Amino acid sequence: MSKAYWIAAYRAVKNADALAAYGKLAGPAIQGGGGRFLARGVPAQVYEQGLQERTIVIEFDSLEQAVATHDGAAYQAALEALGDAADRDIRIIEAS
């Protein structure tokens, strides 16, 4: 079974308070689903079309675990708290 990586790239943050509320719920939901935060923060360097915005990389033991965490009730509650406070690009990929 291949590991999976959840990558979140923030394009814009419109409401820092809502983002903080999301973070309080999302972190425990992701860790509860088996996710391990590998990196999070503003990039040290960007290239090509990269944005100098917050990026997060989370490792899961499987694609199924990552998808189940995203689609689960705890993370969905975090998304409700986030609302439209940020423009993000979320991708879940399997390791090769």
Side-chain angles (χ1 to χ4, degrees):
M1 187 179 305
S2 295
K3 291 189 180 207
Y5 296 88
W6 172 332
I7 300 144
Y10 286 69
R11 296 185 176 158
V13 175
K14 301 180 240 175
N15 182 332
D17 292 336
L19 181 60
Y22 159 82
K24 287 180 182 178
L25 297 172
I30 290 167
Q31 290 173 324
R36 294 173 296 282
F37 288 89
L38 300 181
R40 50 184 160 178
V42 177
Q45 181 66 44
V46 296
Y47 293 100
E48 299 178 30
Q49 303 302 314
L51 299 176
Q52 195 71 25
E53 295 290 343
R54 185 168 178 78
T55 304
I56 300 168
V57 179
I58 306 161
E59 180 181 62
F60 286 86
D61 289 333
S62 70
L63 174 63
E64 293 77 17
Q65 190 180 40
V67 171
T69 298
H70 181 277
D71 295 347
Y75 187 73
Q76 291 302 306
L79 287 178
E80 284 185 37
L82 180 64
D84 66 352
D87 295 334
R88 308 181 310 154
D89 176 353
I90 307 294
R91 299 171 190 219
I92 298 174
I93 59 171
E94 274 188 291
S96 54

